[in-house]
Amino acid sequence: MPQVQMKPPYIPMTISCDHCLQEQIVHMQAKTGFWQMAHQSVKCVRCEKYFEVMIPDAIVAGPFLAPKVSSA
């Protein structure tokens, strides 16, 4: 019998700090149906200044540093 894979209750989203341009990831609440854009403040993981982002749902975790991508 195949196992059912549950989707995580969040969607990872990449954002960038307005001050130092550091890319970081937040986990946004995953919902179905109508989404309304909203301003939210995030504290940068690098410069520790707050900046606003406009995303379609609530941030439930993060920010986290974006993983480094190697060009090998």
Side-chain angles (χ1 to χ4, degrees):
M1 174 184 264
Q3 290 186 343
V4 175
Q5 292 286 330
M6 297 288 291
K7 288 187 178 182
Y10 63 84
I11 299 167
M13 182 173 190
T14 303
I15 59 173
S16 294
C17 176
D18 293 340
H19 306 284
C20 69
L21 305 179
Q22 173 68 48
E23 284 193 353
Q24 42 211 302
I25 296 179
V26 293
H27 292 173
M28 183 180 66
Q29 185 174 356
K31 285 186 179 177
T32 57
F34 180 74
W35 290 11
Q36 183 174 344
M37 298 295 274
H39 288 280
Q40 297 180 63
S41 290
V42 177
K43 185 176 180 182
C44 179
V45 295
R46 181 176 175 197
C47 71
E48 298 187 350
K49 293 182 181 177
Y50 284 89
F51 62 99
E52 286 201 1
V53 293
M54 183 175 282
I55 60 175
D57 218 321
I59 295 172
V60 294
F64 310 105
L65 283 175
K68 301 256 185 203
V69 178
S70 62
S71 57

